[in-house]
Amino acid sequence: MYRIGGVAAVVGAVLGGVGNLIHPVTPEHDAAGAAQVIAGSDIWTPVHLAIVLAIFLMLGGLVAIYHSIRGGLPGALARFGLFAAVVGATIGLVLVILDGVAARQLAQEWASAAPGEKAAALGLVHLNETLNFALASLFNFAFAAATFILFGLAVALSRIYPRWLGWAAVVAGLASVGAGLIQALVGEPTTASRVLTIFGPTVITLWLLIMGILLLRKVRACQARMVLAEAKGAA
């Protein structure tokens, strides 16, 4: 369990980090500009499919972290964190597919539409972007915020992992709460929401990477103890 979860956390963190890093940037308050970027990007859909895989792998890593923290308040927090992760990952998958597949098709239809049909086609692109933004707010609350605040508290209180690692996840989760609130209240991207959605996911990605490495070290430590026990038994 720990080996599979550790590998899933490391690979998911790296894949998600790279996917977010190379994700094409669309202009703010410019539906036509956004549609042009999406329609003209050859990596738009592959990047989003990579992020889908990263979400699955991250969830696998969180399952392993949950199993490594048992009993008491830390165990309960990890359990609630896992529930939040499942809900958040489900929302995230819908969000990424809409943004990566549906948005691409709608943008290409806009790009190839006749002059008299471009306004209607652009309206569909804008509608899809609005839905994506609403889902992104919910995703920030459920996955980036609730999940990692709960797991962060579980790690900080568990005495199994370094306490600072848990508090780092809590800070990232709180930043994601801020991003979700701004997205929900303003209804469109702002400088503040963009900064928070860069900071929070970056810290979360690094946190999962480190946690994955610690899980793999836990496997090696268990194997070393088994070898030592067998050697003592043979003696």
Side-chain angles (χ1 to χ4, degrees), residues 49-200:
L49 293 178
I51 293 174
V52 167
L53 178 58
I55 291 174
F56 275 118
L57 292 172
M58 288 178 178
L59 184 59
L62 290 172
V63 170
I65 295 169
Y66 158 72
H67 281 286
S68 72
I69 303 173
R70 292 299 184 91
L73 179 59
L77 290 168
R79 187 178 302 112
F80 284 119
L82 186 60
F83 292 154
V86 172
V87 173
T90 303
I91 297 168
L93 293 174
V94 175
L95 165 64
V96 175
I97 289 299
L98 276 177
D99 191 35
V101 179
R104 170 78 168 165
Q105 290 181 323
L106 291 172
Q108 287 180 324
E109 289 175 3
W110 166 81
S112 61
E117 298 175 350
K118 277 194 176 291
L122 186 60
L124 292 176
V125 173
H126 181 65
L127 174 61
N128 186 70
E129 288 295 297
T130 301
L131 291 174
N132 287 343
F133 198 74
L135 284 173
S137 175
L138 187 58
F139 177 69
N140 272 323
F141 282 126
F143 190 76
T147 296
F148 289 94
I149 288 174
L150 290 167
F151 267 105
L153 289 172
V155 167
L157 299 176
S158 68
R159 298 183 179 179
I160 298 173
Y161 301 101
R163 290 174 64 88
W164 68 265
L165 201 54
W167 294 121
V170 172
V171 170
L174 291 174
S176 297
V177 170
L181 283 173
I182 293 171
Q183 289 172 328
L185 296 174
V186 178
E188 60 183 19
T190 65
T191 301
S193 68
R194 285 185 181 272
V195 169
L196 290 174
T197 51
I198 291 173
F199 172 77

Side-chain angles (χ1 to χ4, degrees), residues 163-233:
R163 290 174 64 88
W164 68 265
L165 201 54
W167 294 121
V170 172
V171 170
L174 291 174
S176 297
V177 170
L181 283 173
I182 293 171
Q183 289 172 328
L185 296 174
V186 178
E188 60 183 19
T190 65
T191 301
S193 68
R194 285 185 181 272
V195 169
L196 290 174
T197 51
I198 291 173
F199 172 77
T202 299
V203 175
I204 286 169
T205 298
L206 292 174
W207 184 85
L208 267 173
L209 178 64
I210 296 171
M211 291 297 294
I213 293 171
L214 293 178
L215 286 172
L216 293 174
R217 286 183 178 177
K218 187 182 290 288
V219 172
R220 293 175 184 173
C222 290
Q223 289 175 338
R225 285 195 296 269
M226 289 177 61
V227 170
L228 183 61
E230 289 175 358
K232 289 182 178 179

